Amino acid sequence: MFQLPFPLHDANASAGGKDLGDLPEWDLSDLYTAEDAPELKRDLDWLEEACASFATDYEGNLAGLDAKGLLDCVLRNEKINQVAGRIMSYAGLRYYQQTTDSGRAKFMSDMQEKITDYTTPLVFFTLELNKLPDAHLADLLDQDPDLARYKPVFDRIRAMKPYQLSDEMEKFLHDLGVVGDAWERMFDETIAGLEFEVDGETLTIEGTLNLLTDPDRAKREAGARELAEVLGNNIRTFARVHNTQVKEKEVLDRWRGMETPQTGRHLSNHVEPEVVEALRNAVVEAYPKLSHRYYELKRKWLGLDVMQVWDRNAPLPMEDPKIVDWAQAEDIVMEAYSAFDPRMGDIAKPFFTKGWIDAGVKPGKAPGAFAHPTVTNVHPYVMLNYLGKPRDVMTLAHELGHGVHQVLAADQGEMLSSTPLTLAETASVFGEMLTFRKMLDKAKTQAERKVLLAGKVEDMINTVVRQIAFYDFECKLHEARRSGELTPDDINALWMSVQAESLGPAFEYMEGYETFWAYIPHFVHSPFYVYAYAFGDGLVNALYAVYAEGEEGFEDKYFDMLKAGGSKHHKELLAPFGLDASDPAFWDKGLSMISDMIDELEAME
């Protein structure tokens, strides 16, 4: 019930070991000081009693509450969420610092089990809330402005009302959820246990994927071929996991009466299907002027007749392999944030000075990067694996953007602070764009500007084009599974049907590339999650275009948007900027920014 964000794997991360300066580590004492801290025991005891008394007081009684009674109920539920979230934040963050520590793993598992046990009796809350007649709930909201503040929460919960089953069936499905979790764990453990032999060295999947960004083309090819070999040897297991997960989702969706496999994701993202379709269509139509055009440029820069899949994330030949130490990275990002608005710099500063960032690469530390909001009465924590590449500076800017957003939204409280996935990337991508523009302005040579521009375009293509191709693959996968079991070859064919279309004619595809769907975790953990990346990037590009045009009062409007957290729909949030995500022209505005950068790169040739 209370989960940390799934760590985002940075496909371009690499092993370091260079002198990067004094890299900060987390100080988690703002959550708890130790596993056996008396405050932690106090909160666990409180949580057990609070959940039990909540169920006793309210189960079967929601329909009879007046406005004040319902507000008290909501506030008690919010406090339960806050205490449970604090405990799981502490357990999860400690675990991510050292995933190989069996003690930390056991502690996190024990805490998750306790909290699941304590909170299971609360399943009734959303079920009963959805049984309240619309007119009755509207009347209660009219009576109490403090209760009316929670209307966005009620709206999100009640969006599931048409798809809700009987109380008994809902409790059964809640208990059955551990079965789906077991398949996810099987996927994770299988991926983590894979071994790849490259040039006499045994690597994990992270180390092998990292080879795909190596300057040495022979190493990139060796990594790609070993990935294909090992994934191919295990493809029946991955096909079984996907077949089972997709079938389970199809059964649940059918029982609930969901119109499409994507409906549940759209509801949780609080976004209309037609808006996602407008995004998807705009990106697919733009493939020729974006990815096809860029990869043709990259093919020339690399001096190749044709690109292979192991060249997609290759460093550019004119790239300077310079190292940016931690102090420089902090200066670059802080300067960019403060130049936009000093308030943003003030919010960002404590992350560097108070132990809110864990930056170093350490044995057993989780890969990738993320910002975790913890709970609204503490503060966010940022995790990085900082290696001193210019790209790592952008990752710092990205995660710090999440952190600033989470700090600003915290005043909304536990139930209204978190944004849907489609809006969660707004401040992070905007912070990254501010930092990129600052670095671009400081470029001393044409070659340096070219590398920065190309790197940004490549990141945007990976975020927009690649993720929409992933989304199309998932749509095809779920549709095909409805007709029966899919063989590995069936899934391979679906994967290849979207790859050539999105990447373009600059590429050839080696034998074995058809299995590369198997290692993407989002397909298993979070079906249809991937379009949120493209949504966030497109939204920020359109937003930044408004900023670049000199919109009056932009900074204040931007801060108001972040402070709103999850209390407003995307239409309300974007309206002050004159933007509307349901308008196809909105997405074209964002995609044009990428196209303009490619124009500049072509003009440099």
Side-chain angles (χ1 to χ4, degrees):
M1 184 173 180
F2 302 97
Q3 293 183 331
L4 286 164
F6 190 73
L8 303 177
H9 292 269
D10 180 357
N12 295 328
S14 67
K18 313 200 173 53
D19 182 14
L20 300 171
D22 189 13
L23 294 175
E25 292 191 356
W26 280 333
D27 174 3
L28 298 179
S29 61
D30 288 344
L31 293 166
Y32 298 102
T33 53
E35 285 185 18
D36 58 356
E39 294 83 2
L40 178 56
K41 183 182 187 307
R42 176 202 66 199
D43 285 355
L44 282 167
D45 291 344
W46 179 90
L47 189 65
E48 184 176 21
E49 193 282 325
C51 290
S53 62
F54 185 90
T56 300
D57 292 347
Y58 294 115
E59 189 163 14
N61 300 326
L62 248 59
L65 296 176
D66 60 12
K68 182 182 182 308
L70 184 56
L71 176 61
D72 288 343
C73 174
V74 168
L75 293 174
R76 281 173 66 178
N77 181 69
E78 189 165 44
K79 179 68 174 173
I80 286 169
N81 278 316
Q82 188 174 77
V83 174
R86 186 182 195 126
I87 294 167
M88 282 316 301
S89 293
Y90 178 67
L93 292 173
R94 282 184 77 251
Y95 169 72
Y96 284 145
Q97 277 184 302
Q98 203 173 339
T99 60
T100 50
D101 183 327
S102 57
R104 294 186 186 212
K106 172 179 163 47
F107 177 69
M108 184 174 76
S109 181
D110 287 349
M111 292 301 101
Q112 181 75 72
E113 203 168 295
K114 280 180 188 289
I115 286 174
T116 301
D117 288 346
Y118 296 166
T119 57
T120 294
L122 308 187
V123 172
F124 79 89
F125 178 64
T126 53
L127 303 180
E128 287 192 30
L129 198 61
N130 280 349
K131 289 177 184 174
L132 298 179
D134 291 342
H136 174 65
L137 181 59
D139 186 46
L140 294 179
L141 295 178
D142 285 342
Q143 292 174 35
D144 190 328
D146 289 334
L147 181 64
R149 204 173 74 80
Y150 289 92
K151 185 178 184 297
V153 177
F154 296 140
D155 288 346
R156 281 199 283 274
I157 292 171
R158 288 166 75 83
M160 281 298 293
K161 188 176 178 181
Y163 310 104
Q164 189 168 298
L165 303 173
S166 70
D167 291 4
E168 292 78 9
M169 182 61 87
E170 289 291 349
K171 287 177 181 176
F172 169 72
L173 292 176
H174 179 82
D175 286 347
L176 195 66
V178 296
V179 177
D181 292 346
W183 284 96
E184 290 180 28
R185 283 200 304 274
M186 181 180 176
F187 170 84
D188 290 342
E189 289 166 9
T190 303
I191 282 285
L194 295 180
E195 292 186 345
F196 303 83
E197 299 288 335
V198 183
D199 295 335
E201 187 179 358
T202 302
L203 301 171
T204 63
I205 191 158
E206 287 291 325
T208 312
L209 288 169
N210 179 52
L211 288 176
L212 301 185
T213 67
D214 197 281
D216 184 340
R217 192 170 191 237
K219 286 185 179 177
R220 296 200 302 272
E221 178 177 358
R225 294 201 181 279
E226 182 64 3
L227 271 172
E229 176 77 19
V230 174
L231 292 176
N233 291 341
N234 291 273
I235 205 66
R236 290 175 63 185
T237 300
F238 291 118
R240 169 62 48 232
V241 170
H242 283 66
N243 267 291
T244 306
Q245 288 284 79
V246 173
K247 181 62 180 177
E248 181 192 37
K249 182 172 177 4
E250 187 269 321
V251 171
L252 289 172
D253 287 350
R254 179 158 35 85
W255 273 78
R256 291 194 181 281
M258 296 268 181
E259 292 83 357
T260 70
Q262 299 85 357
T263 298
R265 178 60 63 196
H266 297 339
L267 285 168
S268 69
N269 282 344
H270 206 43
V271 65
E272 300 76 15
E274 59 270 21
V275 172
V276 178
E277 194 62 16
L279 162 65
R280 182 262 168 202
N281 291 342
V283 174
V284 171
E285 285 169 19
Y287 284 169
K289 70 176 184 180
L290 300 182
S291 47
H292 296 190
R293 201 156 57 110
Y294 173 73
Y295 287 128
E296 181 57 27
L297 274 174
K298 187 165 186 178
R299 181 191 67 75
K300 291 176 185 171
W301 294 335
L302 293 172
L304 301 171
D305 292 329
V306 66
M307 295 243 288
Q308 300 290 345
V309 292
W310 56 80
D311 298 315
R312 188 173 62 82
N313 282 325
L316 299 177
M318 58 283 198
E319 201 166 319
D320 177 11
K322 68 176 180 181
I323 295 299
V324 183
D325 68 30
W326 181 253
Q328 290 173 303
E330 178 181 344
D331 288 346
I332 291 166
V333 176
M334 285 298 296
E335 184 185 352
Y337 274 38
S338 298
F340 170 72
D341 193 299
R343 289 173 292 176
M344 189 180 281
D346 291 343
I347 296 167
K349 191 64 182 173
F351 283 84
F352 294 98
T353 59
K354 293 190 174 181
W356 299 1
I357 300 177
D358 197 296
V361 178
K362 291 167 279 194
K365 184 176 174 181
F370 63 80
H372 180 52
T374 71
V375 285
T376 55
N377 61 345
V378 186
H379 56 76
Y381 283 92
V382 164
M383 193 194 84
L384 306 169
N385 280 277
Y386 188 80
L387 299 160
K389 290 184 174 183
R391 182 186 169 79
D392 293 333
V393 180
M394 303 303 288
T395 302
L396 169 61
H398 181 103
E399 300 307 338
L400 204 58
H402 279 307
V404 167
H405 194 173
Q406 291 156 2
V407 168
L408 285 167
D411 284 345
Q412 294 289 344
E414 218 60 48
M415 295 174 76
L416 283 163
S417 60
S418 61
T419 55
L421 288 174
T422 41
L423 297 170
E425 294 296 322
T426 305
S428 55
V429 178
F430 195 85
E432 198 176 335
M433 183 65 81
L434 290 172
T435 305
F436 163 71
R437 291 291 179 183
K438 184 62 68 177
M439 292 171 78
L440 198 63
D441 289 345
K442 290 188 168 188
K444 293 183 177 65
T445 65
Q446 186 83 329
E448 192 178 342
R449 183 177 178 86
K450 185 175 183 178
V451 168
L452 282 167
L453 269 174
K456 186 61 177 170
V457 168
E458 206 154 294
D459 283 350
M460 289 165 126
I461 286 172
N462 279 336
T463 305
V464 177
V465 170
R466 191 161 183 254
Q467 301 301 332
I468 289 299
F470 282 179
Y471 176 66
D472 276 357
F473 166 72
E474 283 191 275
C475 291
K476 291 183 176 189
L477 177 70
H478 284 255
E479 183 60 38
R481 181 65 181 89
R482 291 183 170 213
S483 302
E485 178 90 5
L486 300 174
T487 67
D489 285 345
D490 292 334
I491 304 176
N492 291 348
L494 295 176
W495 173 255
M496 292 308 296
S497 73
V498 301
Q499 291 302 300
E501 180 189 23
S502 64
L503 294 178
F507 283 93
E508 265 184 7
Y509 301 93
M510 68 171 187
E511 188 176 345
Y513 179 67
E514 66 275 6
T515 65
F516 276 37
W517 55 269
Y519 74 84
I520 310 294
H522 297 83
F523 300 156
V524 175
H525 286 278
S526 313
F528 304 108
Y529 180 109
V530 290
Y531 77 73
Y533 290 120
F535 193 108
D537 212 78
L539 185 153
V540 168
N541 286 347
L543 200 60
Y544 194 87
V546 173
Y547 171 59
E549 289 160 9
E551 170 87 0
E552 190 174 345
F554 181 93
E555 292 82 357
D556 287 337
K557 293 177 189 176
Y558 180 72
F559 274 91
D560 286 343
M561 179 173 69
L562 299 190
K563 286 175 185 174
S567 68
K568 292 183 179 179
H569 186 266
H570 64 79
K571 262 194 185 311
E572 291 178 86
L573 290 173
L574 291 173
F577 303 96
L579 299 172
D580 179 2
S582 61
D583 179 359
F586 169 83
W587 300 111
D588 290 335
K589 189 181 187 80
L591 294 171
S592 293
M593 181 177 287
I594 309 175
S595 185
D596 289 347
M597 289 184 186
I598 300 172
D599 288 345
E600 185 175 345
L601 286 168
E602 284 184 335
M604 290 178 179
E605 291 303 292

